[in-house]
Amino acid sequence: EPHNSAALNLQAKIEAAKQPLLFSPAGSYQLQYTNDQSGETKTTSLVIKALANGQFGGEKKDPDGEPGTLRSVYAGGNRIWIVAETQFGPMELRLVMEGDKITGYWAASYGHNGKVSGTKLK
């Protein structure tokens, strides 16, 4: 299927990961994400750390929940992809960095998805 969204997302991730980083992924992030179906907006914070093996890891903290370890963090160019566990299953954040400003998209199970905005704090 040539227009498979999962395949296109993977292709974009591979291409971006080949590019030199235009920002430092390590740091604290404050994000707001809106559910396209319900219109509900939630906030979350992320802490991303550079690991000894050259990769990135970290945790996600929702205001009403316990911190959760990020399953994966991939970055290249001005893009970053983060997969975090939620109470409803995995959620992927597809973010674009423009200075300290963040825009992007999130996708989770059962067609839940929407827009992301936020700020890199440090």
Side-chain angles (χ1 to χ4, degrees):
E1 188 174 332
H3 299 291
N4 183 308
S5 63
L8 291 172
N9 182 48
L10 179 59
Q11 180 182 4
K13 190 183 300 185
I14 291 168
E15 291 302 317
K18 291 179 185 179
Q19 298 176 14
L21 285 169
L22 300 175
F23 70 105
S24 173
S28 298
Y29 298 76
Q30 187 68 37
L31 302 177
Q32 298 81 38
Y33 55 100
T34 303
N35 185 315
D36 278 351
Q37 293 177 5
S38 68
E40 180 182 12
T41 298
K42 293 188 176 187
T43 62
T44 192
S45 60
L46 303 173
V47 175
I48 297 177
K49 300 175 184 174
L51 305 177
N53 63 4
Q55 297 181 343
F56 297 97
E59 68 180 19
K60 175 181 177 286
K61 174 87 167 82
D62 293 330
D64 57 350
E66 294 295 316
T69 302
L70 300 178
R71 282 190 17 193
S72 65
V73 179
Y74 294 99
N78 69 336
R79 310 272 314 266
I80 187 167
W81 282 261
I82 300 163
V83 176
E85 283 299 325
T86 71
Q87 63 185 6
F88 304 109
M91 175 170 96
E92 182 178 51
L93 300 163
R94 305 167 189 171
L95 307 177
V96 177
M97 304 297 299
E98 296 177 16
D100 291 340
K101 299 294 179 202
I102 302 164
T103 58
Y105 188 78
W106 67 275
S109 303
Y110 306 108
H112 294 275
N113 53 49
K115 293 177 182 58
V116 177
S117 62
T119 304
K120 183 174 181 192
L121 304 174
K122 57 180 177 167

